[in-house]
Amino acid sequence: MIVMNSGATEAEVRSVVERVESVGARTHISQGEEVTVIGAIGDLEHVARLELEGFPGVDRVVPILKPYKLASSQIRHGERTVLDIGGRKVGGNHFALIAGPCTVESRDQVLAAARAVRDGGATLMRGGAYKPRTSPYAFQGLGQEGLRLLAEAKEETGLPVVTELMDARDMEAVLEVADVVQIGARNMQNYALLSEVGRAGIPVLLKRGLSATLEELLMASEYVLKEGNQQVMLCERGIRTFETAYRFTLDLTAIPVLKELSHLPVIVDPSHAAGRRALVEPLSLAAAAAGADGIIVEVHPNPDEAICDGPQQLPADEFAGFADRVEQAAAVAGKIISRVAAV
Ligand code: PEP
Ligand code: MN
């Protein structure tokens, strides 16, 4: 990591980049408000031999010891990444309230859910067209038809869409509607897929694998970042533990720890962790108060008839009250729910 002086000129930055690349290392420029940091990825010895500390504009050269380089908080010099998704900011003091059905089931269902979450003040809407199901015999999502219905919901409500991509062959179709591509927990270590979404340059919501450590999650994010895509949100969605009283164990400690280790926004999914509606609100409030940069929750107009994850989906008519209480909890951590009108 080459930290430039606060007054370093563009020409000085360019000349350092050229020198670093001349020895076969790759560079990533991170332009902070105060200083520019150049990440050099390659053979440490080759880069060290350049003795960059003597170069004009260079303040200091610091090795990043963590295995994840671009995801580490060190590279951003303490600054946090703030994403802009269709005019809505996520990260810093902007809290993302992401809500919508587990899966797109029908036109009526997705439109009703989308209207309810828009009216309740959601930041983004969610909805799966391609579903990672444990059983190959279970409903796998509406696929392209689901994407078409999501496009309609987006058109009507103006809410940007988060939807899952499971197979790079569906990338083109998904990119037509998605404002954020979700990489599900089961694909967290699908490195080919991560590199593809990295190259696509679209915002990514990367979910933590069911049994993945935080370091593994950060290494997975590194696959996206290394392709030049800086728009990554990390998502804690519950992990496997010995406890069986609920679906997964929501690892709330991951929130402050990820924020210590990385500059990337941290989103929490209480729905999949809980597996039961009654637990979704307390976990959401806890996540918001603990400093999460957003939550992603499942909302359905009629959860009892949902094709999947019915027991954990919040009824659409309860969303507005829920959103108000989450807003108060987020305020405890100094955050404001990001909506289109927010500045
Ligand atoms: C989902 O969000 O629809 C989902 C399947 O979540 P996860 O990948 O976390 O299980
Ligand atoms: Mn679900």
Side-chain angles (χ1 to χ4, degrees):
M1 179 173 85
I2 302 134
V3 184
M4 303 298 288
N5 288 323
S6 53
T9 64
E10 256 179 57
E12 286 168 343
V13 172
R14 211 171 331 116
S15 126
V16 172
V17 166
E18 277 165 19
R19 287 297 284 147
V20 170
E21 290 181 350
S22 74
V23 295
R26 287 172 67 181
T27 54
H28 272 266
I29 300 181
S30 168
Q31 185 89 58
E33 277 186 11
E34 300 271 305
V35 289
T36 300
V37 175
I38 302 168
I41 302 166
D43 192 312
L44 184 61
E45 279 190 18
H46 289 173
V47 177
R49 233 177 281 138
L50 293 172
E51 297 189 354
L52 292 163
E53 248 130 0
F55 270 56
V58 173
D59 178 23
R60 61 193 191 280
V61 180
V62 191
I64 298 183
L65 301 172
K66 299 278 192 214
Y68 44 87
K69 312 290 179 189
L70 301 170
S72 88
S73 40
Q74 222 184 331
I75 193 126
R76 291 296 304 272
H77 228 66
E79 274 178 35
R80 311 231 34 104
T81 285
V82 177
L83 275 63
D84 186 318
I85 300 159
R88 286 127 169 114
K89 295 202 166 126
V90 183
N93 61 353
H94 309 274
F95 186 90
L97 178 54
I98 310 173
C102 174
T103 182
V104 179
E105 299 167 11
S106 70
R107 184 167 183 275
D108 286 352
Q109 173 253 7
V110 73
L111 287 179
R115 286 183 197 121
V117 305
R118 179 213 41 209
D119 294 348
T123 309
L124 311 174
M125 74 165 287
R126 64 151 287 151
Y130 297 97
K131 296 301 301 176
R133 303 304 301 279
T134 302
S135 165
Y137 307 115
F139 176 65
Q140 305 286 307
L142 290 180
Q144 298 234 3
E145 172 63 5
L147 293 175
R148 202 190 60 68
L149 295 172
L150 280 172
E152 206 178 322
K154 173 168 152 176
E155 171 81 25
E156 195 192 301
T157 59
L159 288 178
V161 165
V162 182
T163 197
E164 179 159 355
L165 175 71
M166 294 205 300
D167 184 330
R169 288 172 293 189
D170 300 316
M171 176 84 85
E172 220 183 298
V174 167
L175 290 188
E176 275 190 26
V177 59
D179 296 282
V180 176
V181 167
Q182 175 173 320
I183 300 294
R186 290 153 190 85
N187 266 323
M188 187 201 83
Q189 287 176 312
N190 183 338
Y191 299 124
L193 188 61
L194 294 170
S195 298
E196 287 284 342
V197 293
R199 285 191 282 273
I202 184 164
V204 176
L205 179 81
L206 176 61
K207 296 189 115 186
R208 180 182 184 181
L210 319 188
S211 304
T213 64
L214 296 182
E215 182 161 306
E216 285 163 341
L217 171 61
L218 290 164
M219 291 308 287
S221 78
E222 195 77 8
Y223 273 86
V224 181
L225 298 166
K226 84 168 199 314
E227 298 299 333
N229 185 352
Q230 312 289 310
Q231 305 178 84
V232 180
M233 292 171 270
L234 304 168
C235 180
E236 161 60 34
R237 46 79 71 214
I239 50 175
R240 278 262 153 83
T241 68
F242 51 81
E243 186 52 70
T244 54
Y246 33 84
R247 201 171 175 189
F248 293 96
T249 299
L250 186 67
D251 181 9
L252 285 170
T253 316
I255 303 165
V257 172
L258 283 172
K259 295 187 72 166
E260 204 172 84
L261 298 176
S262 175
H263 53 87
L264 297 170
V266 177
I267 308 295
V268 170
D269 176 346
S271 304
H272 289 91
R276 281 198 271 139
R277 189 169 311 132
L279 308 181
V280 171
E281 182 164 328
L283 295 180
S284 299
L285 300 179
D293 297 298
I295 55 171
I296 178 166
V297 290
E298 290 188 337
V299 174
H300 194 287
N302 190 354
D304 292 342
E305 283 174 16
I307 297 178
C308 65
D309 287 349
Q312 72 196 28
Q313 304 209 49
L314 299 178
D317 59 4
E318 291 176 17
F319 180 73
F322 165 82
D324 287 346
R325 295 184 289 276
V326 169
E327 187 161 24
Q328 290 174 42
V332 170
K335 288 172 186 291
I336 297 167
I337 294 187
S338 183
R339 299 188 172 112
V340 79
V343 278

